[in-house]
Amino acid sequence: MPEQASPPPLSAPAPRPIFEARGLTKVYQMGEVRVEALRGVDLDLYAGELVVLLGPSGSGKSTLLNILGGLDTPTSGTVRYAEHDLTVDDDAAMTQYRREHVGFVFQFYNLIPSLTARENVALVTEISQNPMTPEEALALVGLAPRMDHFPSQMSGGEQQRVAIARAVAKRPQVLLCDEPTGALDAQTGVMVLEVIARVNRELGTTTVVITHNAVIAAMADRVVHFGDGQVVRIERNASRKAASELSW
Amino acid sequence: MRAIDRKLWRDLWHMRGQAVAIALVVMCGVGTYVMFLSTLGALRATQDDYYREYRFAEVFATLKRAPESLRARIAAIPGIERVETRVVEPVRLDMPDFPEPVSARMVSLADDAPHGLNGLHLRAGRLPLPGRADEVVVSTPFAKAHTLHPGDRFHAILNGRRQALTVVGTALSPEFVQQLRPGSAFPDPKRYGVMWMGRKALGQAYDLDGAFNDLALSLRPGADAQDVIDRVDALITPFGGLGAYARKDQLSHRFLTQELDQLGTLATLFPTMFMGVAAFLLNVVISRLVTMQREQVATLKAFGYGNGAVIAHYLKLVAMIAGSGVLGGTALGVWLGYALSGIYMEFYYFPWLRFSLQTQTVLEAAGASFAAAGAGTVVAVWRAASLSPAQAMRPEPPPRYRETLVEKLGIKRWLSQPTRMILRHIWRKPLKSALTVLGIALACGIILTGLFQRDTVGYMMNVHYGMAQREDLSVAFTEPTAYRARFDLAGLPGIEHVEAFRSVPVRLRHGHLDYRTTIRGIEPHGDLQRLLDTELRPVAMPSDGILMTDHLGKILDVRAGDRIVVEVLEGNRPLREAVVAGLVKEYLGVAAYMDLAALNRFMHEGPTISGAWLAVDHAQLQGLYARLKGLPRVAGVAERVQEIRNFNRLMDETMLFFTYVSTVFAVIIAFGVIYNSARIALTERGRELASLRVLGFTRGEIGYILLGELGILTLVAIPLGLKLGEAMCYYIAQTMQTDLFRVPVVLVPQTYAFAVAVVLISALLSGLAVRRRLDRLDLIAVLKTPE
């Protein structure tokens, strides 16, 4: 039986978790194949921490991330973000939740190809309550000089940094990154991770990073090991490594 | 501008080829709709205004001769508002510029009441002075045909006296919007015209001073026209009245109404079909375009755009495309509408044209376009948006491919791997494949509807003037004449064969149905005028009873053997019964026929004829015209070739105009559909094809996989399209049956070939365009990004 929960960061005396997942399961019908992506996951996440979900592909970590982000709903179990019940299949409520609280970074960036970097960020800031300007967000990821470039004119690392700027521009409480370095070489990947760590540090955004690259785990407060649709174990790093110290 | 709106503009620019193709389809649909309906609206509004402003009479009657004192008794009939007594006489003219016989209808103008019924719209010059027997106003079309201007002179035979006439003006009248020689189906302003002379002068020329032979009446609002007609008949019958008739039976009005009705049918049917097809294609194409944006929909949703916002975004995109089509189509429709109205103005002599773009027409066309596009968009976006974003961003599960029926039949081993891919792809989404086939088929079919009218008209002409009416000239006498006049004609030099006929104006009644037409008595075993059965075989004239055209049979609801009542509308107007001996096939007109001798017996008259059909030696035609002109009893001469020419002119300028327009539109629609199908297929399968290239397939091979599918669907669509097109043609023909002509469905092989060629060439060009893009597929990029 894996360790269920670990104590909160030392500085914060027993805070309430902002995410609480209990007994989550998710079953897909992929064509003619039935896939059990999650098989009873219990997990708490705390405000401001940087958590790495580590596991081989197909272990269910993306599914969990999608459910946390309100992109998908579990087949059974409960999941709560602050006062939001994320199990309800209510499209309008989920849209509202994503709009107000969550920033996403995807493995393949998912930029809108017909919009420039600045416009891709503006796409989100225009529907947010208290966003930074697209320029600020892009400066944060070090892309101020490339603001008016289209995705097709940028390298993969740059595109991913635009995606991060787009995700954080609305000042979300939660930043969810699905294999943010998966499509990048090591050097570019480190650059992207630096940006993610900086956002976590400077904006205090609760950050969840999915990866199958064990090296990245060193930059996390906590590492959640996934396997076969379940949480295998959770580790707490005594100290977080800076992203620049990582290499693979 | 908001970022999401920028995305809209950029997406639009990115898909400009397809967007233009779709907008063109919409433009053609809207353009046809606006063109036809605004033309129809303009002609109807013009007709109404003209009739009202120029006081077109509502009841007409012709009689032999009645004293002017009868006028007061007619005016006393309840319901009559205004009575105008006139002198109307057929005259023969001797035009200095034209050797053939020319005839005209001379109508008197009230000397004292310039604002009487059937007012003249003077185009040039002035009205004749009262009492001037040498001054006439001539109808504008006649003046045009003979380049007559005020001050020009020509000669006419008035009551047997040759008289010089001076043109003092040219004019139009609501009574002669269509100037047709009685008994002729098509206007011929070179050989037949209308002219007006002062009442007193014309009366004196025809010994009708203080008397009249024609009546025009207007009615009070709410008056019962039939009651008025009955009372008028009672008063004029003793004076040789030929039966009063309402405006609906007035020659010009009836033809005009029928042609406008026919245009109305076409104007509704054609554009509705075009709009329907365009809307259907728009719907299919748009929904497939949007479906391909599934990933972007998911991304927008992941960042907190709601379903409503996403749908609104794509609706805007589609509205831009459909909107530019609607705008372009409206502009095009108005432009073509002006052109088409102008053509009709050449035939219908209206003094002006009330052309205006009706808001309702544009709204209907825009509504249909937006509704079709909107429905396609909403359904497609809804499908993409109702998936959870995680699911929408995930690669779709491998599509379920199956072995196709064709493969299961055991010929699999002869099919290459690419061929199997093509077949399985078509098989996997049968609905989508079926919609593509249906789209191409509709585009193919609509081409036939444009061309079929030309084919059909050619066939009708061939039957009517090649098989049924075969004379060179037809001669009409001023009044029924003794049979021996036939021999006078036969004796003229250059005449090879003569067949006489008798025409009697009648009203045929069967039960409560009745129809005003002419019974033609013809000589049995004639060769110049033949009656045909439904198989187009000559029918022998029965020695007794009436033969009538199948259309008249339908109007009166009679079959062979039925008894009908014949109300003769000349002489002492006897009322008799007759038996319907059978029905004959005629595409033009609504005539009834009897054996000449039987008709003479029926009329209780001796051997009498109204005219004759002649076969002549063409070398002697000019001399013959001079001789015929000299015969006092000859009212007019019609040349068959001329009738054909007149008909062709009418057809060329009206029907063929929209044959061309609709064919061009149909071709654009066909191309738009096929091009879009190919482009969408490329986008949908670009990744798969790029992967195949990476695996070592050649450009030719992947081109074959993609275009092979389009090819197969096109080949399936063509025969279906031809069948659909035939069905549409039958439907058009069904709704176009009028007294003027009935339209058979005839499609010549060239028409089929043309439709097939358009579809094939569109497919080929689209294939080439797509092939160029295939050659530029970015293989690396494809492998780097997820599906």
Side-chain angles (χ1 to χ4, degrees), chain A residues 28 91 98-99 119 123, chain B residues 6 10 301 304-305 394:
Chain A
Y28 295 117
D91 189 76
R98 293 195 298 269
R99 181 185 287 216
E119 290 160 355
L123 193 64
Chain B
R6 270 175 218 265
R10 303 248 170 83
K301 285 199 69 185
Y305 281 87
R394 207 163 27 232

Side-chain angles (χ1 to χ4, degrees), chain B residues 271-320:
Chain B
T272 305
M273 267 164 38
F274 266 65
M275 271 312 300
V277 172
F280 167 76
L281 299 174
L282 188 60
N283 183 301
V284 170
V285 169
I286 293 284
S287 72
R288 288 180 71 179
L289 265 181
V290 172
T291 303
M292 286 179 332
Q293 297 249 336
R294 169 183 150 123
E295 200 181 299
Q296 294 202 15
V297 169
T299 306
L300 286 174
K301 285 199 69 185
F303 287 107
Y305 281 87
N307 284 348
V310 174
I311 288 178
H313 172 65
Y314 284 100
L315 277 180
K316 271 194 236 169
L317 177 78
V318 169
M320 304 282 292

Side-chain angles (χ1 to χ4, degrees), chain B residues 625-648:
Chain B
Y625 279 140
R627 299 292 293 268
L628 287 173
K629 268 188 181 181
L631 292 180
R633 268 198 301 268
V634 171
V637 178
E639 195 184 344
R640 185 177 62 113
V641 179
Q642 200 54 47
E643 284 280 304
I644 297 174
R645 261 188 232 132
N646 291 336
F647 184 85
N648 284 341

Side-chain angles (χ1 to χ4, degrees), chain A residues 216-248:
Chain A
I216 294 173
M219 67 182 279
D221 292 310
R222 288 194 298 152
V223 184
V224 179
H225 291 266
F226 249 77
D228 205 16
Q230 288 175 319
V231 175
V232 179
R233 73 193 139 85
I234 299 177
E235 287 169 2
R236 162 167 289 279
N237 287 329
S239 65
R240 278 167 55 168
K241 266 193 184 172
S244 56
E245 299 170 56
L246 306 178
S247 70
W248 63 87

